[in-house]
Amino acid sequence: MSRIVIIEDEERIASFVSKGLAAAGFTTAHARTGAEGFELAMAQDCDLVILDLGLPDTDGYSVLERLRGSGSHVPVIILTARTSVEDTVASLESGADDYLGKPFRFEELLARVRLRLRGKVHATEGSSLAHEGIVLDPLTRTVTVDAREVELSAREFALLAELIAHPGHVLSREQLLSRVWGYDFDPGSNVVDVYVRYLRRKLGHDRIQTVRGAGYRLAKRR
């Protein structure tokens, strides 16, 4: 049974989400502050985090950055009243897996929870992926390049996994936004290009090829 940590200071919303998730077969833990939520999210049995941005002790961005900075790859869904494009993009670029504005329908939140947990199960059960000296292991969340281990953020790891799962294929920015960031539309950000640059710095600038007007693909060695 998956355990979900809800970091939300509004008791009414937290209770509503917790009861709904319990009815759907999940176990939950509730934190009212960012500090408490961080500790719960770092626990071994945490499978997903639902995070509000407006917390009494700190900003939700800080909690997210601490999680990713500590090496946690736990899926994080932002649930907040801040619904501007800027907040949405900032959350995704900081390492969130999904973003849902308040007010919200519980059915939509539940669908997003199930989607993120299903992706986590697939990654855990999957075998290693390899391409031209790059080896990605979803089970241990490690990446090596020519036998040299490279540390990636959760979003960088997900982007590389998508590229390496389609060797030789050109993936458009729209496809990558949908599959890696969960967006079926372009939020008006160059987030894909930014993360491709991050990967190039860590893997080697010649590892990812830009196909002008089409998208990106992993390059073949000559």
Side-chain angles (χ1 to χ4, degrees):
M1 184 180 293
S2 297
R3 183 171 185 263
I4 299 172
V5 172
I6 303 165
I7 308 177
E8 168 64 68
D9 64 322
E10 291 189 44
E11 189 65 40
R12 179 179 57 84
I13 293 177
S15 176
F16 171 70
V17 172
S18 182
K19 289 177 180 177
L21 291 173
F26 299 100
T27 61
T28 63
H30 175 215
R32 294 169 180 80
T33 67
E36 181 186 2
F38 174 78
E39 295 301 325
L40 289 175
M42 288 296 292
Q44 290 291 329
D45 59 350
C46 175
D47 295 298
L48 183 140
V49 173
I50 296 174
L51 173 64
D52 184 21
L53 292 181
L55 298 169
D57 61 331
T58 186
D59 195 280
Y61 290 126
S62 299
V63 178
L64 182 58
E65 289 169 1
R66 282 189 68 193
L67 281 173
R68 298 307 184 223
S70 300
S72 172
H73 300 292
V74 64
V76 175
I77 298 176
I78 300 295
L79 184 64
T80 180
R82 302 182 196 174
T83 56
S84 69
V85 171
E86 291 77 13
D87 281 311
T88 303
V89 171
S91 296
L92 295 174
E93 291 183 345
S94 296
D97 296 273
D98 209 338
Y99 193 100
L100 186 60
K102 301 175 183 175
F104 62 96
R105 293 183 178 180
F106 179 76
E107 292 78 8
E108 182 178 0
L109 175 62
L110 181 60
R112 293 177 185 234
V113 166
R114 286 173 170 160
L115 174 63
R116 296 304 162 189
L117 289 175
R118 184 165 66 245
K120 183 179 180 183
V121 170
H122 288 169
T124 300
E125 294 177 347
S127 57
S128 296
L129 300 171
H131 177 84
E132 299 285 350
I134 302 173
V135 179
L136 181 149
D137 189 335
L139 182 61
T140 61
R141 306 289 292 186
T142 57
V143 174
T144 57
V145 180
D146 297 331
R148 172 180 59 90
E149 187 167 338
V150 177
E151 184 176 343
L152 300 183
S153 69
R155 190 68 64 185
E156 291 165 350
F157 188 94
L159 177 57
L160 178 59
E162 191 62 36
L163 290 168
I164 207 171
H166 300 85
H169 293 190
V170 178
L171 298 179
S172 68
R173 289 173 177 82
E174 290 75 18
Q175 287 175 313
L176 293 171
L177 274 171
S178 176
R179 297 174 186 178
V180 178
W181 281 267
Y183 267 71
D184 293 325
F185 65 95
D186 186 346
S189 165
N190 64 342
V191 62
V192 174
D193 308 279
V194 169
Y195 273 82
V196 167
R197 288 201 298 271
Y198 291 164
L199 282 180
R200 282 173 170 160
R201 290 173 191 165
K202 295 182 178 182
L203 306 179
H205 288 275
D206 60 342
R207 293 286 188 169
I208 301 176
Q209 179 183 5
T210 300
V211 180
R212 190 174 299 276
Y216 296 102
R217 67 183 171 199
L218 288 182
K220 291 185 177 180
R221 283 180 168 178
R222 296 179 180 178

